[in-house]
Amino acid sequence: MRDQKEASFKCRGCAGENVVPVVDLGAQPCADYFPTADTPGPDPRWPLELWLCRDCTLVQLGPVEPQLPEPPLAVESATSIAHAESSVKELLRDYPELTGGVVFEFASHHGGSWLEHLYAAGCRPAGDGERADLVVDVHGIAHEPSVGEMLRLRAERLAPGGLLVLEFHHLLPLFIGNQFDTIRHGHWSYLSLGAVKRLSALHGLAVESVRQVDMFGGSLMVMLRHADDAKPDASVDVLLEDEDAAGIAEEVQLASLQEAAWHAAGALHDELVRHKAAGRTVLGYGAPSKAPVLLDLSRIGTDLLEFTVDAAPGKHGRRIPGGCGVPIRPIDELRAAQPDVVLVLTWDIADEVISQLEAGGGWGATYLVPLPEPHELGIRR
């Protein structure tokens, strides 16, 4: 069976056939499928594997079809909203010539649109078919099954002399920080700067500059231009060296993520068992798309986590899919229950979560973050 898949699967970036599996997290439920609490199981599952293209070094989901179409239910975090505003300010500070220019944005499932702030700065939207001075893709391209084709479309939208800004969750912190729960159906590619550099060259683009940002546990903001216009700065080589040192384009190194994931999942299960044995209550905060694989691999069900809460009203009355079946409730129910331990499933905005729950003094809860290994976070007073 594996041989047949390998023979038929082509890289989502360069369309080459030199792709190999490196991480297998087993059959997992669809990440954005949150069934109502009374929906009987078992929930549908699909293979969740990472494959590496030996030619362009793109790390990507293997041969799996798009899953259940589900409308996004999440609400945008305050962290994401603030990031959009500050990013536009910094971009126009560094590239003042873009102020008042023509912009085009490829929408993202994560929200975080820059358009409101760009329009406020005098930029105008590109007309139908019009090429833009600034093309923006903030966490959009990873949701597209064919990343190479999507890069081509972005290159075509870019006017001569224009700037393409790509922001995406970075493979380097995913690997170093054991962020295995960010591997999920719907995220088709796991981008490194090296892969973006190789793939963009296929479409006449070149990386000019890069900066690291904190979003989603560690992201990259990459500035690209048409190759003839690009003048790469030192930030590009520095980050490429960091990626090479970590070995995130090497099969053996990438494969180690699988063992690290199972180890952390087991440690989280044991931690919740320990709290239960000590008579401490544990409830969750957040029902993000990364929760299903985390809880499934950790073998955490309602015996260890009675329920979790989320800011999105559309998720209330639903449950985390897979074997865990953990119900999703409003945040007020967490405050009312005042658990001893809060498991922060939206760990990438843990500071925001803790500040929200501690407003007014809190109730003395311990905050547990699952990755890279389960650990407690201190409260900033």
Side-chain angles (χ1 to χ4, degrees):
M1 185 66 178
R2 170 70 71 190
D3 292 341
Q4 291 176 352
K5 288 199 292 185
E6 287 183 9
S8 61
F9 182 55
K10 293 184 178 181
C11 174
R12 301 180 185 280
C14 68
E17 297 184 356
N18 195 9
V19 285
V20 291
V22 288
V23 174
D24 186 352
L25 297 182
Q28 294 292 333
C30 185
D32 280 325
Y33 170 63
F34 293 98
T36 57
D38 58 357
T39 300
D43 297 320
R45 292 173 178 263
W46 292 265
L48 187 59
E49 303 171 347
L50 289 186
W51 288 49
L52 170 69
C53 177
R54 289 168 169 160
D55 294 333
C56 71
T57 71
L58 179 67
V59 175
Q60 58 205 285
L61 289 189
V64 61
E65 295 301 315
Q67 281 71 54
L68 301 174
E70 283 290 313
L73 298 173
V75 295
E76 194 169 355
S77 69
T79 301
S80 175
I81 293 170
H83 174 66
E85 182 176 10
S86 63
S87 295
V88 169
K89 287 181 179 178
E90 292 173 8
L91 183 74
L92 296 182
R93 178 199 66 201
D94 296 342
Y95 300 91
E97 69 276 11
L98 294 174
T99 302
V102 178
V103 299
F104 185 88
E105 182 179 75
F106 287 87
S108 165
H109 292 259
H110 286 290
S113 173
W114 289 11
L115 290 180
E116 175 187 351
H117 306 293
L118 287 167
Y119 294 161
C123 297
R124 71 167 179 86
D128 187 25
E130 183 181 9
R131 300 171 79 181
D133 305 309
L134 174 63
V135 176
V136 176
D137 181 323
V138 181
H139 298 278
I141 201 166
H143 293 89
E144 302 289 352
S146 178
V147 63
E149 175 67 10
M150 294 303 106
L151 275 172
R152 182 186 66 80
L153 293 177
R154 284 143 182 79
E156 289 178 351
R157 265 290 181 179
L158 189 62
L163 185 72
L164 167 61
V165 179
L166 290 180
E167 184 176 308
F168 50 84
H169 186 238
H170 189 197
L171 178 62
L172 182 60
L174 186 159
F175 178 76
I176 293 174
N178 195 21
Q179 298 170 356
F180 68 87
D181 61 347
T182 60
I183 302 169
R184 66 170 183 84
H185 301 119
H187 282 179
W188 296 92
S189 56
Y190 300 80
L191 295 164
S192 64
L193 181 61
V196 168
K197 183 174 183 287
R198 294 178 187 92
L199 291 173
S200 60
L202 300 178
H203 303 285
L205 297 171
V207 176
E208 182 168 84
S209 183
V210 61
R211 67 178 63 152
Q212 300 176 71
V213 294
D214 291 335
M215 290 299 297
F216 302 110
S219 297
L220 281 187
M221 188 183 297
V222 181
M223 277 60 77
L224 304 99
R225 295 188 188 274
H226 292 297
D228 292 341
D229 301 323
K231 298 177 181 178
D233 65 22
S235 65
V236 179
D237 286 337
V238 168
L239 196 52
L240 288 172
E241 289 172 4
D242 288 345
E243 290 186 346
D244 287 344
I248 59 171
E250 300 170 13
E251 294 169 45
V252 173
Q253 284 291 87
L254 287 169
S256 69
L257 181 61
Q258 182 169 318
E259 182 179 351
W262 284 108
H263 178 80
L268 180 60
H269 178 270
D270 293 347
E271 182 74 358
L272 266 58
V273 168
R274 183 178 68 83
H275 284 301
K276 182 177 181 179
R280 291 186 285 269
T281 56
V282 181
L283 296 176
Y285 185 102
S289 57
K290 52 179 169 249
V293 68
L294 174 68
L295 298 182
D296 198 85
L297 262 63
S298 302
R299 297 178 293 113
I300 293 173
T302 52
D303 57 327
L304 297 176
L305 193 69
E306 183 182 351
F307 65 87
T308 189
V309 300
D310 198 89
K315 292 183 180 179
H316 300 161
R318 296 175 179 263
R319 60 173 172 81
I320 306 292
C324 76
V326 172
I328 307 167
R329 300 179 183 175
I331 293 174
D332 285 346
E333 294 200 27
L334 179 69
R335 292 194 178 98
Q338 296 193 353
D340 301 296
V341 180
V342 177
L343 174 61
V344 183
L345 297 173
T346 49
W347 49 258
D348 55 302
I349 55 168
D351 288 344
E352 178 183 330
V353 170
I354 294 172
S355 295
Q356 177 187 1
L357 295 180
E358 289 294 317
W363 60 87
T366 295
Y367 294 93
L368 181 65
V369 175
L371 301 175
E373 294 278 335
H375 63 281
E376 295 177 5
L377 283 185
I379 299 172
R380 299 175 184 173
R381 298 294 187 186

